[in-house]
Amino acid sequence: MSVSGSMGLPGSSCDKVGLLNPGGIDGVEVSFTMKVVDYQVLWTAARDRLLSFELSIEEVEECIGPRLDVALSDCLLALLFPLDVPGCIVCNACATAAR
């Protein structure tokens, strides 16, 4: 069974149907593709996020690589998680750098 959707407006059929668990679905897979346009901005944001968890700069570089050798996937995961979506639990997360 494949289910896809988009945001519905108030008063639309989305709020008139059983969206708490439509059709007994246990999970929904959400995917998107991103293009990194500035590696240094990405790395700096990921560094700042990890430093906010009181990691040392050495620990940060172990997680996302040094500034001159950016680990793109790890930077994105550092910025995206922990993801807090009310009513949901993230079961799996993966970021893969494409060439």
Side-chain angles (χ1 to χ4, degrees):
M1 177 181 193
S2 176
V3 175
S4 62
S6 59
M7 295 293 287
L9 299 173
S12 71
S13 60
C14 289
D15 66 1
K16 296 177 185 172
V17 297
L19 290 180
L20 291 179
N21 191 0
I25 297 170
D26 291 327
V28 176
E29 183 176 321
V30 177
S31 64
F32 57 93
T33 302
M34 298 178 84
K35 179 178 181 178
V36 178
V37 295
D38 191 327
Y39 296 86
Q40 296 306 305
V41 169
L42 174 68
W43 187 89
T44 301
R47 177 206 61 199
D48 293 347
R49 175 75 183 269
L50 293 173
L51 288 174
S52 75
F53 292 107
E54 299 184 12
L55 273 66
S56 69
I57 191 64
E58 292 81 16
E59 292 169 317
V60 167
E61 289 184 353
E62 193 174 307
C63 292
I64 61 172
R67 179 182 292 276
L68 297 178
D69 188 20
V70 178
L72 296 177
S73 299
D74 295 329
C75 285
L76 288 170
L77 288 173
L79 290 170
L80 292 171
F81 296 98
L83 183 62
D84 184 20
V85 178
C88 299
I89 299 170
V90 176
C91 299
N92 187 21
C94 177
T96 305
R99 301 214 182 252

